[in-house]
Coordinates of all heavy atoms in Angstrom, one line a residue:
V25 N -1.6 3.0 -25.4 CA -3.0 2.5 -25.3 C -3.1 1.5 -24.2 O -4.2 1.5 -23.5 CB -3.4 1.8 -26.7 CG1 -4.7 1.1 -26.6 CG2 -3.4 2.8 -27.8
K29 N -5.8 1.8 -21.2 CA -6.7 0.6 -20.9 C -6.6 0.1 -19.5 O -7.6 -0.1 -18.8 CB -6.4 -0.5 -21.9 CG -7.3 -1.7 -21.7 CD -6.8 -3.0 -22.3 CE -5.7 -3.5 -21.4 NZ -5.4 -4.9 -21.4
G41 N -8.4 6.3 -7.5 CA -7.2 7.1 -7.4 C -6.3 6.9 -8.6 O -5.3 7.5 -8.8
S46 N -0.9 11.3 -18.8 CA -0.3 11.5 -20.0 C -0.1 13.0 -20.3 O -0.9 13.8 -20.0 CB -1.1 10.8 -21.2 OG -0.5 11.1 -22.4
G53 N -3.5 11.4 -26.0 CA -3.3 12.3 -24.8 C -4.6 12.9 -24.4 O -4.9 13.1 -23.2
R65 N -13.8 13.4 -11.2 CA -15.2 13.7 -10.8 C -15.8 12.5 -10.1 O -16.5 12.7 -9.1 CB -16.0 14.0 -12.1 CG -15.7 15.3 -12.7 CD -16.7 15.7 -13.8 NE -16.7 14.8 -14.9 CZ -15.9 14.9 -16.0 NH1 -15.0 15.9 -16.0 NH2 -16.0 14.0 -17.0
E74 N -19.9 9.8 0.6 CA -19.5 9.3 1.9 C -19.8 10.4 3.0 O -20.3 10.1 4.1 CB -18.0 9.0 1.9 CG -17.5 8.6 3.3 CD -18.1 7.3 3.8 OE1 -18.7 6.5 3.0 OE2 -18.0 7.1 5.0
R77 N -23.5 10.1 3.7 CA -23.8 8.9 4.4 C -23.4 9.2 5.9 O -24.2 8.8 6.8 CB -23.0 7.7 3.9 CG -23.4 6.4 4.6 CD -22.3 5.4 4.4 NE -21.0 5.7 5.0 CZ -20.8 5.7 6.4 NH1 -21.7 5.3 7.2 NH2 -19.6 5.9 6.8
E81 N -26.0 9.2 9.1 CA -25.8 8.3 10.2 C -25.8 9.2 11.5 O -26.4 8.8 12.5 CB -24.5 7.6 10.1 CG -24.2 6.6 11.2 CD -25.2 5.5 11.3 OE1 -25.9 5.1 10.3 OE2 -25.3 4.9 12.4
R84 N -29.4 10.0 12.3 CA -30.1 8.9 12.8 C -29.7 8.7 14.3 O -30.6 8.4 15.1 CB -29.8 7.6 12.0 CG -30.4 7.6 10.7 CD -30.1 6.3 10.0 NE -30.7 6.3 8.7 CZ -30.3 5.5 7.7 NH1 -29.3 4.7 7.9 NH2 -30.9 5.6 6.5
D90 N -32.4 11.4 21.0 CA -33.5 12.3 21.4 C -34.7 11.5 21.9 O -35.3 11.8 22.9 CB -33.9 13.2 20.3 CG -32.9 14.3 20.0 OD1 -32.0 14.6 20.8 OD2 -33.0 14.9 18.9

Side-chain angles (χ1 to χ4, degrees):
V25 174
K29 179 196 80 154
S46 176
R65 286 192 299 273
E74 179 62 19
R77 187 199 64 74
E81 182 64 22
R84 286 181 182 159
D90 287 345

